[in-house]
Every structure is written in C-alpha cells, then in structure tokens.
Amino acid sequence: MNTLANDRLLRALAREPVDRTPVWIMRQAGRYLPEYRATRARAGSFLGLATNPEFACEVTLQPLARFPLDAAILFSDILMIPKAMGVGLRFEEGEGPRIERPVRSAVEIDALPVPDVGQALRFVMDAVALIRRELAGRVPLIGFAGSPWTVATYMIEGGSSRDFPKSKGLLYGDPGALHRLLGKLARATTDYLNAQVASGAQALMIFDTWGGILSPRAYCEFSLAYIKSVVGQLRRERDGARVPSIVFTKGGGPWLEQIAGIGADVVGLDWTVNLGAARSLVGDRVALQGNLDPNVLFAPPEVVRQQAIAVLDSFGPPKRADGTWDGHIFNLGHGISQHTPPEHVSALVEAVHQHSRTLRQA
Ligand code: CP3
C-alpha cells in the first residue's frame, strides 16, 4: 500500500542513489496555471479553495497532470494556524493576507489559545487523506507549515510587510512576550505537522520565509530555536517508512551550518547560495533542496534550460569518491511567480531530467 511508483524524492531526501535529480516547485499549484484560476473561480476565493478538501485535492494534482514532477505538495497555506487561533484571516484580492485582530501586546499574546489543530483544521487532514488516495502512489505527498517566527510576523504586522517594524519592535521591546507567542505557535505547529503525517503526508517542509531578515543572534534565538523544537518533536516514521523533514529559511545562507545541525534531513536554499559550496559545508549531514532564481522563468526557454543546467552543475555529481551519495532535490529558490509562463516550467523540468541523468553517467 505504501509502495511508490516514483520514490526519487524520498530517496534523494535520504541521500540514497537516484537515476536522476528529483524536481518539484515551491507553490507549484497556483495562479500561473489557468486551470488553477478556473477552480478558484468555482470555489469563490482562495480560502474557499483551501478549506474544501475536494477543491484542495483538485488543485494539488493540477501541476502533476501538466509536468512530470517528482512530488505533490498539499494545497493549503502557512496562515491556517493563525486562522485556527481565531485572529481572523482574510485574503484580499491582489493584496495578500490580512489578519483582522493582530496580536501586538503581552496581554493579547497571553489571551491566545493553543488550538486543537487536528480538530480546527480537520479540512486540511481530510485534504491530505484524499490527495493520498487520488495520487495512488504515483509520487509522494509533502505536508508543510510555516516556521513559528514567519507565522508570528503575519500575526503581529496584520499582513505582509517589507520591514517588519512591529515584529522587530516586539522582539527588542518585549522579547519575553514574543517568546510566549513563538512557544504557542511551536506547539500548534508540531501538532499540525504530526496530524498531517497521521493523515498521510510522506515528507514535511517548514517554510521560514522571513527568518533571513533577522540579525544572526535574533535568528538563532527567535527563529531557528523554535524550528528546532518543532523538528525535534516530529513523528519520524509512518507505516515503517521514514518521514523526512525539510527546513527552508529564505536568506538563511549565512547560517547554513547551524540550520544543518538542528536535526532536519534537508536544508532548502535560496538562489543567493552556491550549491557546491553549501554541499562541501554540510552535504555529508543533510540533503540540499534548491535553488534556481524563480525569475529565471521569465527568460526564454533556452535560457531557462541553461540556468537549470548551471544549478545542477553547481551541485556536481551526487556520488562521492568514497561511494556514498549526497542528496540534491531540484527546486526554485523561492515560490514561483503568478506571472510565469507554464511552458517555461515544462522546459525547466525537462532540462533537469535530461541533464541530471548525464551527471550520473560521468
Ligand atoms: O507549494 C504549493 O503549491 C502549496 C501551496 C502553498 C500556498 N502557500 C498557497 C497559496 C504554500 C506552500 C504556501 C506557503 C506560504 N503562504 C508561505 C511560505 C512560502 C513562501 O512563498 O514564502 C507564505 C509566506 C504564505 C502566506 C501567503 N499566502 C501570502 C503572503 C499570500 C499572498 C501572496 C500571493 O502569493 O498571492 C498567500 C496566498 C496564497 N497561498 C496563494 C496560494 C496559491 C495565492 C492566493 C490566490 O489564489 O489568490
């Protein structure tokens, strides 16, 4: 029941030999696909889509029908945990997320409940189970959550931000209150990810989109420490199969060694890091995921191909001189843009397939 027709992703995550580099794309289900926009129109809104297991399953599978990708990722959002905490989540057309009741003071933070996410976010667990059934073992399903720090920034700012003045104001002005908020989010996130595994998620990813805006000390204390706490409490096995975890801090390049040391199986990298350099620092401890600049996809297909090849070459042949393997999972360095031409994604996936095979023949 648990056998996969394509297990390249899980093998590469475990740094086992694979015939070619597995590839998936952050935000692979989304507005750049006309079929996604059509389903969203039927659902009425982004939240209508994400909170309905049938719709969520449908859009999760859309990119796989178009491109020969090596993984599916649950269609949901990192802001489902604040939604379950009752802060009021809305998505304004063209404006991104809005939190109706931001939390900015110790009093507001201490009044926040730690929700029973398995209950409050039942629709996510139902989506996971349905997607697993519909995938029927074609490729593995990745579950995910945001890092406590990244999710906290949305709750404090009330939405997206450029400079994070309120979050940093709290961090420096009342660090104890921020720690209590992060502690609550870490507990909810742990339960949430473990519930996804119980429902069928076969790998887990933590998106720390805003860890990279912190000073080195603040990053370790307010972001990485809580990611480590979550990772340390994750369920590692289901039905005898290991459930690997991927940690992605955008802008985390300077702290690669610390990130590689928290117990996750894989470190996700943005495009500011050279994969070969990252590999020689930590490649014998973790697999690496990344890291094509998503904006490369705005260039003509031939350029996309060349840039994909350059990313694969920067990692190099995955087999080491001593016969052991390092894992590389090809991905973008951040989520795909809604303005990306889908044909350029086809060129990318094809180039990764072709070139990564030749790397293993050398
Ligand atoms: O990868 C996938 O295909 C799974 C789906 C997924 C979504 N959000 C769907 C989504 C994932 C993994 C996320 C994670 C997420 N959400 C992050 C971390 C990753 C990253 O990109 O940095 C963050 C910061 C969020 C919060 C969020 N959700 C923002 C800032 C926005 C608005 C900006 C935008 O891209 O529109 C969203 C909305 C959102 N989440 C959309 C999708 C497909 C677009 C909503 C729409 O259809 O209008």
Side-chain angles (χ1 to χ4, degrees):
M1 185 193 137
N2 229 359
T3 53
L4 282 160
N6 172 353
D7 66 352
R8 276 186 198 96
L9 177 88
L10 296 180
R11 293 183 64 89
L13 292 173
R15 287 180 286 131
E16 291 168 6
V18 275
D19 57 346
R20 60 169 178 74
T21 304
V23 50
W24 69 278
I25 292 170
M26 285 192 258
R27 299 281 199 102
Q28 63 192 21
R31 283 167 296 181
Y32 75 106
L33 295 176
E35 57 271 35
Y36 170 86
R37 297 195 298 268
T39 308
R40 195 181 65 163
R42 276 198 287 135
S45 67
F46 169 70
L47 273 182
L49 196 59
T51 57
N52 176 305
E54 281 78 28
F55 282 139
C57 176
E58 185 178 317
V59 295
T60 298
L61 300 178
Q62 284 171 347
L64 299 167
R66 241 188 213 261
F67 316 113
L69 297 161
D70 295 294
I73 179 161
L74 164 70
F75 188 82
S76 187
D77 199 86
I78 64 165
L79 299 177
M80 290 306 169
I81 286 182
K83 178 175 161 53
M85 286 177 156
V87 294
L89 173 67
R90 285 186 294 126
F91 283 87
E92 301 288 345
E93 189 69 51
E95 274 191 57
R98 283 276 180 278
I99 301 286
E100 283 167 15
R101 290 172 293 283
V103 284
R104 292 176 182 156
S105 65
V107 172
E108 286 161 343
I109 286 168
D110 294 334
L112 271 181
V114 177
D116 176 348
V117 284
Q119 249 345 90
L121 302 177
R122 182 83 251 152
F123 56 87
V124 175
M125 311 313 153
D126 292 343
V128 169
L130 184 60
I131 297 163
R132 271 299 298 275
R133 200 154 70 229
E134 294 290 317
L135 277 172
R138 276 179 282 163
V139 292
L141 175 63
I142 303 169
F144 74 91
S147 74
W149 161 253
T150 291
V151 172
T153 66
Y154 288 91
M155 296 177 71
I156 299 164
E157 303 293 336
S160 299
S161 178
R162 232 178 62 131
D163 298 320
F164 303 93
K166 298 184 178 74
S167 309
K168 289 189 175 178
L170 188 65
L171 187 155
Y172 291 110
D174 193 350
L178 180 58
H179 276 302
R180 295 200 296 281
L181 175 58
L182 294 168
K184 287 184 179 188
L185 285 169
R187 262 185 285 152
T189 304
T190 302
D191 294 347
Y192 183 52
L193 290 172
N194 282 333
Q196 291 181 35
V197 173
S199 300
Q202 291 153 294
L204 295 171
M205 175 149 166
I206 296 176
F207 287 86
D208 185 28
T209 307
W210 303 122
I213 62 148
L214 292 169
S215 72
R217 259 184 69 181
Y219 174 69
C220 284
E221 181 178 344
F222 295 94
S223 189
L224 192 60
Y226 290 91
I227 298 173
K228 181 177 180 179
S229 148
V230 171
V231 167
Q233 298 174 78
L234 291 178
R235 202 172 140 179
R236 298 265 161 185
E237 227 190 66
R238 184 179 187 260
D239 298 341
R242 186 171 169 79
V243 181
S245 55
I246 309 167
V247 171
F248 169 63
T249 292
K250 181 158 175 276
W255 314 308
L256 192 54
E257 285 175 277
Q258 285 103 305
I259 301 170
I262 63 164
D265 301 271
V266 187
V267 175
L269 300 170
D270 68 30
W271 60 90
T272 62
V273 177
N274 177 279
L275 277 182
R279 182 182 178 188
S280 48
L281 268 182
V282 300
D284 59 344
R285 283 188 281 157
V286 288
L288 297 172
Q289 175 173 283
N291 68 346
L292 184 76
D293 183 341
N295 294 298
V296 165
L297 290 166
F298 293 128
E302 192 38 47
V303 177
V304 172
R305 289 183 59 80
Q306 287 161 10
Q307 294 291 326
I309 288 169
V311 166
L312 287 164
D313 286 346
S314 72
F315 187 88
K319 195 168 180 178
R320 288 180 169 238
D322 65 2
T324 61
W325 284 61
D326 290 346
H328 179 208
I329 297 90
F330 195 100
N331 205 314
L332 304 182
H334 195 204
I336 190 168
S337 157
Q338 61 170 309
H339 305 295
T340 305
E343 318 82 72
H344 295 197
V345 177
S346 301
L348 171 66
V349 174
E350 197 180 302
V352 173
H353 284 192
Q354 280 177 358
H355 188 70
S356 69
R357 276 190 204 280
T358 67
L359 274 180
R360 286 165 176 81
Q361 284 148 13

